[in-house]
């Protein structure tokens, strides 16, 4: 199995989840995304995918991570770096999927909810606190109001940071860059992802602090404990 094939597989796995599985699991009542935003995201993803694939297929032919041989060439420093990068990628992906699931479940309920970590037990429950705001009618014919319930998410990943879903995605592409041995396209995409998600996470963190007077005091950072 070549490093190139593994890296292409990682890229494909991420976007199968992001482009197909994640939308299917979204709350149908979630806020709609403007068409221009979706189109811009689609074009950026297509262009980035082309660059990553072109580099791996046409430019950089990496050595084999594992080959059917009796030698231990697959334990070279470069291959160890690749395996560490793959591990970081999947740790980040797991963190991202789990945290997205916690946030998605918050939007399914209008009132306070109790999420139990241990099935059949009540010893490690997380209380999801809520605040409700009322949005005025947006059209002349609409005489009703829409209630939006906002909750404080709770799970192990949310203990010290407000946006572990974004942290997980940054970790994914850091792992991808590490596994690709810091190729120019992978590093460029990691920098782009971090520069996009870090300000977004900081804005979300500030929103939580303004919205909830009882926001957990230990949750002092947006994405990376002791850093930001």
């Amino acid at each position: 199995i070549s490093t190139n094939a593994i890296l292409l597989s990682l890229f494909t796995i991420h976007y199968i989840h992001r482009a197909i599985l994640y939308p299917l699991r979204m709350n149908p009542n979630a806020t709609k995304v403007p068409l221009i935003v979706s189109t811009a995201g689609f074009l950026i993803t297509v262009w980035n995918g082309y660059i990553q694939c072109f580099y791996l297929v046409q430019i950089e032919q990496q050595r084999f991570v594992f080959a059917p041989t009796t030698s231990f060439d697959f334990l070279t420093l470069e291959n160890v770096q690749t395996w560490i990068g793959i591990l970081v990628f999947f740790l980040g992906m797991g963190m991202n999927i789990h945290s997205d699931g916690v946030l998605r479940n918050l939007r399914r309920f209008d009132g306070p909810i109790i999420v139990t970590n241990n099935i059949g037990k009540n010893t490690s429950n997380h209380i999801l606190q809520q605040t409700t705001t009322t949005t005025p009618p947006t059209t002349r014919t609409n005489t009703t109001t829409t209630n939006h319930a906002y909750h404080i998410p709770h799970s192990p990943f949310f203990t010290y940071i407000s946006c572990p879903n974004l942290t997980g995605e940054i970790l994914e592409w850091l792992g991808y860059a590490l596994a690709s041995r810091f190729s120019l396209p992978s590093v460029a995409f990691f920098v782009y992802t971090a520069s996009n998600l870090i300000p977004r996470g900081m804005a979300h963190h500030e929103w939580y602090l303004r919205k909830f007077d009882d926001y957990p005091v230990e949750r002092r950072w947006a994405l990376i404990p002791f850093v930001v």
Side-chain angles (χ1 to χ4, degrees):
I1 303 175
S2 69
T3 304
N4 298 60
I6 291 177
L7 292 173
L8 287 171
S9 298
L10 296 181
F11 198 85
T12 303
I13 289 171
H14 172 84
Y15 280 104
I16 286 176
H17 170 259
R18 180 59 65 193
I20 300 176
L21 301 180
Y22 178 79
L24 290 176
R25 299 173 66 189
M26 289 181 65
N27 187 335
N29 297 321
T31 303
K32 305 301 181 184
V33 178
L35 179 61
I36 188 171
V37 175
S38 301
T39 303
F42 173 78
L43 294 176
I44 291 172
T45 301
V46 169
W47 176 245
N48 177 59
Y50 171 78
I51 293 175
Q52 302 294 337
C53 294
F54 181 82
Y55 180 86
L56 291 173
V57 174
Q58 299 292 336
I59 298 178
E60 182 67 19
Q61 295 295 324
Q62 301 279 13
R63 292 188 302 170
F64 284 79
V65 169
F66 178 79
T69 177
T70 57
S71 68
F72 288 90
D73 292 340
F74 63 94
L75 291 178
T76 61
L77 181 61
E78 287 183 341
N79 284 339
V80 170
Q81 176 182 331
T82 296
W83 287 117
I84 293 175
I86 294 171
L87 176 63
V88 172
F89 178 91
F90 280 111
L91 287 175
M93 188 173 189
M95 184 178 186
N96 174 263
I97 292 175
H98 170 79
S99 302
D100 275 342
V102 171
L103 295 173
R104 183 173 57 250
N105 287 335
L106 296 184
R107 303 187 185 103
R108 293 181 179 176
F109 304 92
D110 293 327
I113 333 150
I114 296 179
V115 174
T116 305
N117 278 348
N118 300 322
I119 298 176
K121 298 181 180 180
N122 295 320
T123 56
S124 59
N125 292 344
H126 299 297
I127 305 297
L128 306 180
Q129 298 156 308
Q130 100 173 3
T131 180
T132 304
T133 60
T134 300
T135 303
T138 56
T139 63
R140 293 180 181 179
T141 58
N142 183 6
T143 58
T144 63
T145 58
T146 303
N147 292 326
H148 297 279
Y150 298 100
H151 307 269
I152 298 177
H154 288 275
S155 86
F157 288 131
F158 284 90
T159 302
Y160 299 107
I161 58 177
S162 295
C163 304
N165 55 322
L166 305 184
T167 302
E169 184 142 359
I170 293 173
L171 278 177
E172 279 188 72
W173 298 117
L174 173 61
Y176 180 82
L178 185 64
S180 66
R181 301 161 192 176
F182 298 112
S183 67
L184 181 59
S186 66
V187 172
F189 186 53
F190 166 69
V191 172
Y192 165 80
T193 300
S195 62
N196 179 36
L197 296 186
I198 289 176
R200 179 178 165 189
M202 295 173 65
H204 285 187
H205 180 66
E206 293 297 326
W207 182 89
Y208 278 122
L209 293 177
R210 291 194 306 268
K211 193 72 178 178
F212 298 98
D213 294 332
D214 55 348
Y215 198 63
V217 294
E218 67 275 9
R219 201 177 299 181
R220 297 170 52 191
W221 297 276
L223 295 106
I224 306 172
F226 306 105
V227 179
V228 62

